């Protein structure tokens, strides 16, 4: 009788695994290096041998495994099981679902990693029981995931929830997607660095920051009252609040969850963000809404991937 799900979070440097029960209890987790050489062609066979090895060592018979969920950083078509483009992995038009199903002889379900981080927080983390949730991941870039009526929203090309690519500055900074002025070029750690370098080019005030300062240094300096750091944080949270205020009108979520490395800045980030947000938001869209920080940290992806498989296999009610 099957009772476990394997949740996999494929990242550019590390692939994380979790074995979870169909009700969301994590009974084991581990990780391996992601070998992205040869356009990531060996990743699936590494996934197979790693699962086999873990199950052998922990005496988990294959008959106990019901299915596998996989999160991928890129545009993923859940319907066709194809990865359209995952730049950091090397997969382009890659049939991930069928490749893994053949290797593992188990049902496999795939989705975008930020969507599944949102699903993880919805299933077992900060947004438990909140059936409409927006989860944003502030790291190098900005990831977004939308949970609507208890399911993840993906769309036929897998671009739903990609709020990092909302346009905020017409003809602004060039983004990795090829367009100009995307949100993540202003608010993620790379965006904060770009703002810092812009300001340092024409220094109008003394600051404890320099060219080598990272996003976390900018938040720390802002907390200590550095004026330039505060100006950069203010600008970033202004753009993010602008996007969030527009996004909540679209589907009226109950919760906005903030995760990713930059969420470590806590109140230094949240306080100006919420202040800008309150000025921008439609009052009615804010009535039942609250902000919170992600609770599952780096495990959100494996929880969300397991949720996906458990949900699609019918273990989780609608
Ligand atoms: Zn973009």
């Amino acid at each position: 009788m099957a009772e476990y799900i394997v949740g996999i979070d494929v990242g550019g440097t590390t692939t994380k695994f979790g074995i979870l029960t169909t009700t969301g209890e994590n009974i084991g987790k581990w990780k391996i290096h992601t070998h992205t050489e040869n356009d990531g062609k060996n990743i699936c066979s590494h996934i197979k041998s790693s699962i086999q090895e873990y199950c052998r060592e922990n005496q988990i018979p294959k008959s106990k495994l019901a299915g596998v969920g996989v999160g991928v950083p890129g545009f993923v078509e859940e319907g066709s099981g194809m990865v359209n483009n995952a730049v950091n992995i090397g997969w382009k038009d890659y049939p991930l679902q069928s490749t893994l199903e053949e290797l593992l002889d188990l049902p496999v379900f795939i989705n975008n990693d930020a969507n599944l981080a949102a699903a993880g927080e919805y299933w077992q983390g900060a947004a438990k029981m909140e059936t409409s949730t927006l989860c944003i991941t502030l790291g190098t870039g900005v990831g977004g995931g939308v949970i609507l009526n208890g399911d993840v929203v993906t769309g036929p090309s897998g671009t739903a929830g990609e709020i990092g690519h909302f346009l905020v500055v017409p003809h602004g900074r060039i983004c990795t997607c090829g367009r100009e002025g995307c949100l993540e070029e202003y608010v993620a750690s790379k965006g904060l660095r770009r703002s810092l370098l812009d300001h340092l080019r024409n220094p109008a005030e003394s600051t404890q920051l320099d060219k080598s300062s990272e996003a976390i240094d900018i938040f720390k300096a802002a907390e200590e009252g550095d004026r330039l750091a505060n100006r950069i944080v203010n600008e970033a949270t202004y753009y993010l609040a602008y996007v969030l205020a527009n996004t909540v009108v679209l589907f009226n979520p109950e919760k906005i969850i903030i995760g990713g490395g930059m969420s470590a800045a806590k109140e230094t980030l949240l306080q100006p963000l919420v202040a800008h947000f309150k000025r921008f938001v439609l009052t009615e869209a804010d009535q039942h809404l609250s902000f919170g920080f992600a609770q599952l940290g780096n495990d959100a992806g494996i929880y969300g991937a397991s949720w996906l498989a458990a949900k699609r296999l019918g273990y989780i009610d609608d």
Side-chain angles (χ1 to χ4, degrees), residues 164-167 175-179 182-185:
H165 298 287
F166 271 38
L167 300 178
C175 179
T176 48
C177 72
R179 299 176 308 148
C182 288
L183 177 70
E184 71 175 18
E185 297 304 321

Side-chain angles (χ1 to χ4, degrees), residues 37-52:
E37 316 77 68
N38 302 321
D39 297 327
K41 288 203 173 57
N42 298 322
I43 293 175
C44 286
S45 57
H46 293 152
I47 286 174
K48 178 190 176 180
S49 46
S50 186
I51 292 173
Q52 281 179 335

